[in-house]
Coordinates of all heavy atoms in Angstrom, one line a residue:
P83 N -26.2 20.1 107.8 CA -25.5 19.9 106.6 C -25.1 18.4 106.4 O -24.9 17.9 105.3 CB -24.2 20.7 106.7 CG -24.3 21.5 107.9 CD -25.5 21.1 108.7
A84 N -25.0 17.6 107.5 CA -24.6 16.2 107.4 C -25.8 15.3 107.0 O -25.5 14.1 106.6 CB -24.0 15.7 108.7
V85 N -27.0 15.7 107.1 CA -28.2 14.9 106.8 C -28.6 14.9 105.3 O -28.8 16.0 104.8 CB -29.3 15.4 107.7 CG1 -30.6 14.6 107.4 CG2 -29.0 15.2 109.2
A86 N -28.7 13.8 104.7 CA -29.1 13.6 103.4 C -30.7 13.7 103.4 O -31.2 14.4 102.5 CB -28.6 12.3 102.7
E87 N -31.3 12.9 104.2 CA -32.7 13.0 104.3 C -33.2 12.5 105.7 O -32.4 11.8 106.4 CB -33.4 12.2 103.2 CG -33.0 10.7 103.2 CD -33.6 9.9 102.0 OE1 -34.2 10.6 101.1 OE2 -33.5 8.8 102.0
A88 N -34.4 12.9 106.1 CA -34.9 12.5 107.4 C -36.4 12.4 107.4 O -37.0 13.2 106.7 CB -34.4 13.5 108.5
A89 N -36.9 11.5 108.2 CA -38.4 11.5 108.4 C -38.6 11.3 109.9 O -37.9 10.6 110.6 CB -38.9 10.3 107.6
V90 N -39.7 11.9 110.4 CA -40.1 11.8 111.8 C -41.4 11.1 111.9 O -42.3 11.4 111.2 CB -40.1 13.2 112.4 CG1 -40.6 13.1 113.8 CG2 -38.8 13.9 112.2
I91 N -41.4 10.1 112.8 CA -42.6 9.4 113.0 C -43.0 9.5 114.5 O -42.1 9.7 115.4 CB -42.5 7.9 112.6 CG1 -41.3 7.2 113.4 CG2 -42.3 7.8 111.1 CD1 -41.3 5.7 113.2
G92 N -44.2 9.2 114.8 CA -44.6 9.2 116.2 C -44.5 7.7 116.7 O -44.9 6.8 116.1
I93 N -44.0 7.6 118.0 CA -43.9 6.3 118.6 C -44.6 6.4 119.9 O -44.6 7.5 120.5 CB -42.4 5.8 118.8 CG1 -41.6 6.7 119.5 CG2 -41.8 5.5 117.4 CD1 -40.2 6.2 119.9
P94 N -45.2 5.3 120.4 CA -45.9 5.3 121.6 C -45.0 5.8 122.8 O -43.9 5.5 122.9 CB -46.3 3.8 121.8 CG -46.3 3.3 120.5 CD -45.2 4.0 119.8
D95 N -45.7 6.5 123.7 CA -45.0 7.0 124.9 C -46.0 6.9 126.1 O -47.2 7.3 125.9 CB -44.6 8.4 124.7 CG -43.9 9.0 125.9 OD1 -42.6 8.8 126.1 OD2 -44.5 9.7 126.8
E96 N -45.6 6.3 127.2 CA -46.5 6.1 128.3 C -47.0 7.4 128.9 O -48.2 7.5 129.3 CB -45.7 5.3 129.4 CG -45.5 3.9 129.1 CD -44.9 3.1 130.1 OE1 -44.9 3.5 131.3 OE2 -44.3 2.0 129.8
K97 N -46.1 8.4 129.0 CA -46.5 9.7 129.6 C -47.2 10.6 128.7 O -48.3 11.1 129.0 CB -45.2 10.4 130.1 CG -45.6 11.7 130.8 CD -44.4 12.4 131.4 CE -44.7 13.6 132.1 NZ -43.5 14.3 132.7
W98 N -46.8 10.7 127.4 CA -47.3 11.7 126.5 C -48.2 11.1 125.4 O -48.6 11.8 124.5 CB -46.3 12.5 125.9 CG -45.4 13.2 126.8 CD1 -44.1 12.9 127.2 CD2 -45.8 14.4 127.7 NE1 -43.7 13.8 128.2 CE2 -44.7 14.7 128.5 CE3 -47.0 15.1 127.8 CZ2 -44.7 15.7 129.4 CZ3 -47.0 16.2 128.7 CH2 -45.8 16.4 129.5
S99 N -48.4 9.8 125.5 CA -49.2 9.1 124.4 C -48.3 8.8 123.1 O -48.3 7.7 122.6 CB -50.4 9.8 124.1 OG -51.1 9.2 123.0
E100 N -47.6 9.9 122.7 CA -46.8 9.7 121.5 C -45.7 10.7 121.5 O -45.9 11.9 122.0 CB -47.7 10.0 120.3 CG -47.0 9.6 118.9 CD -48.0 9.8 117.8 OE1 -48.3 10.9 117.4 OE2 -48.4 8.8 117.2
R101 N -44.5 10.3 121.1 CA -43.3 11.2 121.0 C -42.6 11.0 119.6 O -42.8 10.0 119.1 CB -42.3 10.9 122.1 CG -42.8 11.3 123.5 CD -42.9 12.8 123.7 NE -41.6 13.4 123.6 CZ -41.3 14.6 123.2 NH1 -42.4 15.4 122.8 NH2 -40.1 15.0 123.1
P102 N -41.9 12.0 119.2 CA -41.2 11.9 117.9 C -39.9 11.1 118.0 O -39.2 11.0 118.9 CB -40.9 13.3 117.6 CG -40.8 14.1 118.8 CD -41.8 13.3 119.8
L103 N -39.8 10.3 116.9 CA -38.6 9.5 116.6 C -38.1 10.0 115.2 O -38.9 9.9 114.2 CB -38.8 8.0 116.5 CG -37.8 7.1 115.9 CD1 -36.6 7.1 116.8 CD2 -38.3 5.7 115.6
A104 N -36.9 10.4 115.1 CA -36.3 11.0 113.9 C -35.5 9.8 113.2 O -34.6 9.3 113.9 CB -35.5 12.1 114.1
C105 N -35.8 9.5 112.0 CA -35.0 8.5 111.2 C -34.1 9.3 110.3 O -34.6 10.0 109.4 CB -35.9 7.6 110.5 SG -37.0 6.7 111.6
I106 N -32.8 9.2 110.5 CA -31.8 10.1 109.7 C -31.0 9.2 108.8 O -30.4 8.2 109.2 CB -30.9 10.8 110.8 CG1 -31.7 11.5 111.9 CG2 -29.9 11.7 110.1 CD1 -32.4 12.7 111.4
A107 N -30.9 9.7 107.6 CA -29.9 9.1 106.6 C -28.9 10.2 106.4 O -29.2 11.3 105.9 CB -30.6 8.7 105.3
F108 N -27.6 9.9 106.7 CA -26.5 10.9 106.6 C -26.0 10.8 105.2 O -26.0 9.8 104.5 CB -25.4 10.6 107.6 CG -25.8 10.9 109.0 CD1 -25.9 9.9 110.0 CD2 -25.9 12.2 109.4 CE1 -26.3 10.2 111.2 CE2 -26.3 12.5 110.7 CZ -26.4 11.5 111.6
K109 N -25.4 12.0 104.8 CA -24.6 12.0 103.6 C -23.4 11.2 103.7 O -23.0 10.9 104.8 CB -24.2 13.4 103.2 CG -25.4 14.4 103.0 CD -24.9 15.8 102.7 CE -26.1 16.8 102.5 NZ -25.7 18.1 102.4
R110 N -22.9 10.8 102.6 CA -21.7 9.9 102.6 C -20.5 10.5 103.4 O -20.2 11.7 103.2 CB -21.3 9.7 101.2 CG -20.2 8.6 101.0 CD -19.9 8.4 99.6 NE -18.9 7.3 99.6 CZ -18.4 6.8 98.5 NH1 -18.8 7.3 97.3 NH2 -17.6 5.8 98.5
D111 N -20.0 9.7 104.3 CA -18.9 10.1 105.2 C -19.2 11.3 106.1 O -18.3 12.0 106.5 CB -17.6 10.5 104.3 CG -17.1 9.3 103.5 OD1 -17.2 8.1 103.9 OD2 -16.6 9.5 102.3
A112 N -20.5 11.4 106.4 CA -20.9 12.5 107.3 C -21.5 11.9 108.5 O -22.0 10.7 108.4 CB -21.8 13.5 106.6
S113 N -21.6 12.6 109.6 CA -22.3 12.1 110.8 C -22.6 13.3 111.7 O -22.0 14.4 111.5 CB -21.5 11.1 111.6 OG -20.2 11.6 112.1
A114 N -23.4 13.1 112.7 CA -23.7 14.1 113.7 C -24.2 13.3 114.9 O -24.8 12.3 114.8 CB -24.7 15.1 113.2
T115 N -24.0 13.9 116.1 CA -24.5 13.4 117.3 C -25.9 13.8 117.6 O -26.3 14.9 117.0 CB -23.6 13.8 118.5 OG1 -23.7 15.2 118.7 CG2 -22.1 13.4 118.3
P116 N -26.6 13.2 118.4 CA -28.0 13.7 118.7 C -28.0 15.1 119.3 O -28.8 15.9 119.0 CB -28.5 12.7 119.8 CG -27.8 11.4 119.4 CD -26.4 11.8 119.0
A117 N -26.9 15.4 120.1 CA -26.9 16.8 120.6 C -26.6 17.8 119.6 O -27.2 18.9 119.6 CB -25.7 16.8 121.6
E118 N -25.8 17.5 118.6 CA -25.6 18.4 117.4 C -26.9 18.5 116.6 O -27.2 19.6 116.1 CB -24.5 17.8 116.5 CG -23.1 17.9 117.1 CD -22.0 17.2 116.3 OE1 -22.4 16.2 115.7 OE2 -20.9 17.6 116.4
L119 N -27.6 17.4 116.4 CA -28.9 17.5 115.7 C -29.9 18.4 116.4 O -30.5 19.2 115.8 CB -29.5 16.1 115.4 CG -28.6 15.2 114.5 CD1 -29.1 13.8 114.5 CD2 -28.6 15.8 113.1
N120 N -30.0 18.2 117.7 CA -30.9 19.0 118.6 C -30.5 20.5 118.5 O -31.3 21.4 118.4 CB -30.9 18.5 120.0 CG -31.7 17.3 120.2 OD1 -32.5 16.9 119.4 ND2 -31.4 16.6 121.3
E121 N -29.2 20.8 118.6 CA -28.7 22.1 118.6 C -29.1 22.8 117.2 O -29.5 24.0 117.2 CB -27.2 22.1 118.7 CG -26.5 23.5 118.8 CD -25.1 23.5 118.9 OE1 -24.6 22.6 119.7 OE2 -24.3 24.3 118.4
H122 N -28.9 22.1 116.1 CA -29.3 22.6 114.8 C -30.8 22.9 114.8 O -31.2 24.0 114.3 CB -28.9 21.6 113.7 CG -29.4 22.0 112.4 ND1 -28.9 23.0 111.6 CD2 -30.5 21.6 111.6 CE1 -29.5 23.2 110.5 NE2 -30.5 22.3 110.5
L123 N -31.6 21.9 115.2 CA -33.1 22.2 115.2 C -33.5 23.4 116.0 O -34.4 24.2 115.7 CB -33.9 20.9 115.7 CG -33.8 19.7 114.8 CD1 -34.4 18.5 115.4 CD2 -34.4 20.0 113.4
L124 N -32.9 23.6 117.2 CA -33.2 24.7 118.0 C -32.7 26.0 117.3 O -33.3 27.1 117.5 CB -32.6 24.5 119.4 CG -33.2 23.5 120.2 CD1 -32.4 23.2 121.6 CD2 -34.7 23.8 120.6
G125 N -31.6 25.9 116.6 CA -31.0 27.1 116.0 C -31.8 27.6 114.8 O -31.7 28.8 114.4
V126 N -32.5 26.7 114.0 CA -33.2 27.1 112.8 C -34.5 27.9 113.1 O -35.1 28.5 112.2 CB -33.4 26.0 111.8 CG1 -32.2 25.3 111.4 CG2 -34.3 24.9 112.5
G127 N -34.9 27.8 114.4 CA -36.0 28.6 114.7 C -37.3 27.7 114.5 O -37.3 26.8 113.7
G128 N -38.4 28.0 115.2 CA -39.6 27.2 115.1 C -39.7 25.9 115.8 O -40.7 25.4 115.8
F129 N -38.6 25.5 116.5 CA -38.6 24.3 117.3 C -38.5 24.7 118.7 O -37.6 25.5 119.1 CB -37.5 23.4 117.0 CG -37.8 22.5 115.8 CD1 -37.5 23.0 114.5 CD2 -38.4 21.3 115.9 CE1 -37.7 22.2 113.4 CE2 -38.6 20.5 114.8 CZ -38.3 20.9 113.5
A130 N -39.4 24.2 119.6 CA -39.3 24.3 121.0 C -38.6 23.0 121.6 O -38.6 22.0 120.9 CB -40.6 24.5 121.7
K131 N -38.0 23.1 122.7 CA -37.3 21.9 123.3 C -38.2 20.7 123.4 O -37.7 19.6 123.1 CB -36.7 22.3 124.7 CG -35.5 23.0 124.7 CD -34.9 23.2 126.0 CE -33.6 23.9 126.0 NZ -33.0 24.0 127.3
W132 N -39.5 20.9 123.7 CA -40.4 19.8 123.9 C -40.7 19.1 122.5 O -41.1 18.0 122.5 CB -41.6 20.2 124.6 CG -42.5 21.2 123.9 CD1 -42.5 22.5 124.0 CD2 -43.5 20.8 122.9 NE1 -43.4 23.1 123.2 CE2 -44.1 22.1 122.5 CE3 -44.1 19.7 122.4 CZ2 -45.1 22.2 121.5 CZ3 -45.1 19.8 121.4 CH2 -45.6 21.0 121.0
Q133 N -40.4 19.8 121.5 CA -40.7 19.2 120.1 C -39.5 18.4 119.6 O -39.7 17.7 118.6 CB -41.0 20.3 119.1 CG -42.2 21.1 119.4 CD -42.4 22.3 118.5 OE1 -41.5 23.0 118.3 NE2 -43.5 22.4 117.9
L134 N -38.4 18.5 120.2 CA -37.2 17.7 119.8 C -37.4 16.2 119.9 O -38.1 15.8 120.9 CB -36.0 18.1 120.6 CG -35.5 19.5 120.4 CD1 -34.3 19.8 121.3 CD2 -35.1 19.8 119.0
P135 N -36.9 15.4 119.0 CA -37.1 14.0 119.1 C -36.5 13.4 120.3 O -35.4 13.9 120.7 CB -36.4 13.4 117.8 CG -36.4 14.6 116.9 CD -36.3 15.8 117.7
D136 N -37.1 12.4 120.9 CA -36.5 11.8 122.1 C -35.4 10.8 121.6 O -34.5 10.5 122.3 CB -37.6 10.9 122.8 CG -38.6 11.8 123.6 OD1 -38.2 13.0 123.8 OD2 -39.6 11.3 123.9
R137 N -35.5 10.4 120.4 CA -34.6 9.4 119.8 C -34.2 9.7 118.4 O -35.1 10.1 117.6 CB -35.2 8.0 120.0 CG -34.3 6.9 120.1 CD -35.1 5.6 120.6 NE -35.3 4.8 119.4 CZ -36.3 3.9 119.2 NH1 -37.2 3.8 120.2 NH2 -36.5 3.2 118.2
Y138 N -33.1 9.4 118.0 CA -32.6 9.4 116.5 C -32.2 8.0 116.1 O -31.4 7.3 116.9 CB -31.5 10.4 116.4 CG -31.8 11.8 116.5 CD1 -31.7 12.4 117.7 CD2 -32.3 12.6 115.5 CE1 -32.0 13.8 118.0 CE2 -32.6 13.9 115.7 CZ -32.5 14.5 116.9 OH -32.8 15.8 117.1
E139 N -32.7 7.5 115.0 CA -32.2 6.3 114.5 C -31.5 6.5 113.1 O -32.1 7.2 112.3 CB -33.4 5.3 114.3 CG -34.0 4.8 115.5 CD -33.2 3.8 116.3 OE1 -32.2 3.2 115.7 OE2 -33.4 3.6 117.5
V140 N -30.4 6.0 113.0 CA -29.6 6.1 111.7 C -30.0 5.0 110.8 O -30.0 3.8 111.1 CB -28.1 6.1 111.9 CG1 -27.3 6.2 110.6 CG2 -27.7 7.2 112.9
I141 N -30.4 5.4 109.6 CA -30.8 4.4 108.6 C -30.1 4.7 107.3 O -29.5 5.7 107.1 CB -32.4 4.5 108.3 CG1 -32.8 5.9 107.9 CG2 -33.1 4.0 109.5 CD1 -34.3 6.0 107.5
D142 N -30.1 3.8 106.3 CA -29.3 3.9 105.1 C -30.1 4.9 104.2 O -29.4 5.8 103.5 CB -29.2 2.6 104.4 CG -28.2 1.7 105.1 OD1 -27.3 2.1 105.8 OD2 -28.4 0.5 105.0
A143 N -31.4 4.8 104.1 CA -32.2 5.7 103.3 C -33.7 5.5 103.8 O -34.1 4.5 104.3 CB -32.2 5.3 101.8
V144 N -34.4 6.6 103.6 CA -35.8 6.6 104.0 C -36.6 5.8 102.9 O -36.5 6.0 101.8 CB -36.4 8.1 104.1 CG1 -37.9 8.0 104.4 CG2 -35.7 8.9 105.1
P145 N -37.3 4.8 103.4 CA -38.1 4.0 102.4 C -39.1 4.9 101.7 O -39.7 5.8 102.3 CB -38.8 2.9 103.3 CG -38.8 3.4 104.7 CD -37.6 4.4 104.8
R146 N -39.4 4.5 100.4 CA -40.3 5.4 99.6 C -41.4 4.5 99.0 O -41.1 3.3 98.7 CB -39.5 6.1 98.5 CG -38.5 7.1 99.1 CD -37.7 7.8 98.1 NE -36.8 8.7 98.6 CZ -37.0 10.0 98.9 NH1 -38.1 10.5 98.8 NH2 -35.9 10.7 99.4
T147 N -42.5 5.1 98.7 CA -43.6 4.5 98.0 C -43.3 4.4 96.5 O -42.3 5.0 96.1 CB -44.9 5.2 98.3 OG1 -44.8 6.5 97.7 CG2 -45.2 5.3 99.7
S148 N -44.2 3.8 95.8 CA -43.9 3.8 94.3 C -44.0 5.2 93.6 O -43.5 5.4 92.6 CB -44.9 2.9 93.6 OG -46.2 3.4 93.9
T149 N -44.6 6.2 94.4 CA -44.7 7.5 93.8 C -43.5 8.4 94.3 O -43.5 9.6 94.1 CB -46.0 8.2 94.1 OG1 -46.2 8.2 95.6 CG2 -47.1 7.4 93.4
G150 N -42.7 7.8 95.2 CA -41.5 8.6 95.6 C -41.7 9.3 97.0 O -40.8 9.9 97.5
K151 N -42.9 9.1 97.6 CA -43.1 9.8 98.9 C -42.5 8.9 100.0 O -42.4 7.7 99.9 CB -44.6 9.9 99.2 CG -45.2 10.9 98.2 CD -46.7 11.0 98.5 CE -47.3 12.0 97.5 NZ -48.8 12.3 97.8
F152 N -42.2 9.5 101.1 CA -41.7 8.8 102.3 C -42.7 7.8 102.7 O -43.9 8.2 102.9 CB -41.3 9.7 103.4 CG -40.0 10.5 103.2 CD1 -39.7 11.5 104.1 CD2 -39.2 10.3 102.1 CE1 -38.5 12.2 104.0 CE2 -38.1 11.1 102.0 CZ -37.7 12.0 102.9
W153 N -42.3 6.6 102.9 CA -43.2 5.5 103.4 C -43.1 5.3 104.9 O -42.4 4.5 105.4 CB -42.9 4.2 102.6 CG -44.0 3.2 102.6 CD1 -45.2 3.2 103.2 CD2 -44.0 2.0 101.8 NE1 -45.9 2.2 102.9 CE2 -45.2 1.4 102.0 CE3 -43.1 1.4 100.9 CZ2 -45.5 0.2 101.4 CZ3 -43.4 0.3 100.3 CH2 -44.6 -0.3 100.5
K154 N -43.8 6.1 105.6 CA -43.7 6.2 107.1 C -44.2 4.9 107.7 O -43.8 4.5 108.8 CB -44.4 7.4 107.6 CG -43.6 8.7 107.3 CD -44.2 9.9 108.1 CE -43.4 11.1 107.9 NZ -43.8 12.2 108.7
L155 N -45.2 4.3 107.0 CA -45.7 3.0 107.6 C -44.6 1.9 107.7 O -44.5 1.2 108.7 CB -46.8 2.4 106.7 CG -47.4 1.1 107.1 CD1 -48.0 1.2 108.4 CD2 -48.4 0.6 106.0
K156 N -43.6 1.9 106.8 CA -42.5 1.0 106.8 C -41.6 1.4 108.0 O -41.1 0.5 108.7 CB -41.7 1.0 105.6 CG -42.4 0.4 104.4 CD -42.5 -1.2 104.6 CE -43.1 -1.8 103.4 NZ -43.4 -3.2 103.7
L157 N -41.4 2.7 108.3 CA -40.6 3.1 109.4 C -41.3 2.7 110.7 O -40.6 2.3 111.6 CB -40.4 4.6 109.3 CG -39.5 5.1 108.2 CD1 -39.4 6.6 108.2 CD2 -38.0 4.5 108.4
R158 N -42.6 2.9 110.8 CA -43.4 2.5 112.0 C -43.2 1.0 112.3 O -43.2 0.6 113.4 CB -44.8 3.0 111.9 CG -45.0 4.4 112.0 CD -46.4 4.8 112.1 NE -46.6 6.3 111.9 CZ -46.8 6.8 110.7 NH1 -47.1 6.1 109.7 NH2 -46.9 8.1 110.7
E159 N -43.2 0.2 111.2 CA -43.0 -1.2 111.4 C -41.7 -1.6 111.8 O -41.4 -2.5 112.6 CB -43.3 -2.0 110.1 CG -44.8 -1.9 109.6 CD -45.0 -2.5 108.2 OE1 -44.0 -2.8 107.5 OE2 -46.2 -2.6 107.8
Q160 N -40.7 -0.8 111.3 CA -39.3 -1.1 111.7 C -38.9 -0.6 113.1 O -38.1 -1.2 113.8 CB -38.4 -0.3 110.7 CG -36.9 -0.7 110.9 CD -36.1 0.0 109.7 OE1 -36.6 0.6 108.8 NE2 -34.8 -0.1 109.8
F161 N -39.6 0.5 113.5 CA -39.3 1.1 114.9 C -40.6 1.2 115.7 O -41.1 2.3 115.8 CB -38.7 2.4 114.8 CG -37.3 2.4 114.0 CD1 -37.3 2.9 112.7 CD2 -36.2 1.8 114.5 CE1 -36.1 2.8 112.0 CE2 -35.0 1.8 113.8 CZ -35.0 2.3 112.5
P162 N -41.2 0.1 116.1 CA -42.5 0.1 116.8 C -42.4 0.9 118.2 O -43.4 1.4 118.6 CB -42.9 -1.3 117.0 CG -41.6 -2.1 116.9 CD -40.7 -1.3 116.0
R163 N -41.3 0.9 118.8 CA -41.1 1.5 120.1 C -39.8 2.3 120.1 O -38.9 1.9 119.7 CB -41.2 0.6 121.3 CG -42.6 0.4 121.7 CD -42.6 -0.1 123.2 NE -43.9 0.0 123.8 CZ -44.3 1.2 124.3 NH1 -43.6 2.2 124.3 NH2 -45.5 1.2 124.9

């Protein structure tokens, strides 16, 4: 409930080749810890522990293209590792 929007990108990983990085924009005056976010993802069903992001990055807003879609390329440039 604290998350306004989120996008997940793959970042390089030595062991697994690629792992998820979640970029989170919280609602105004809201927050959550990585442990709380993981607990939520596991509780909604459909997520296994190995699918949880290794890292969460807090951002002001997810960048968007001119058509309003999430611009993941900008996130990959911002968080290369």
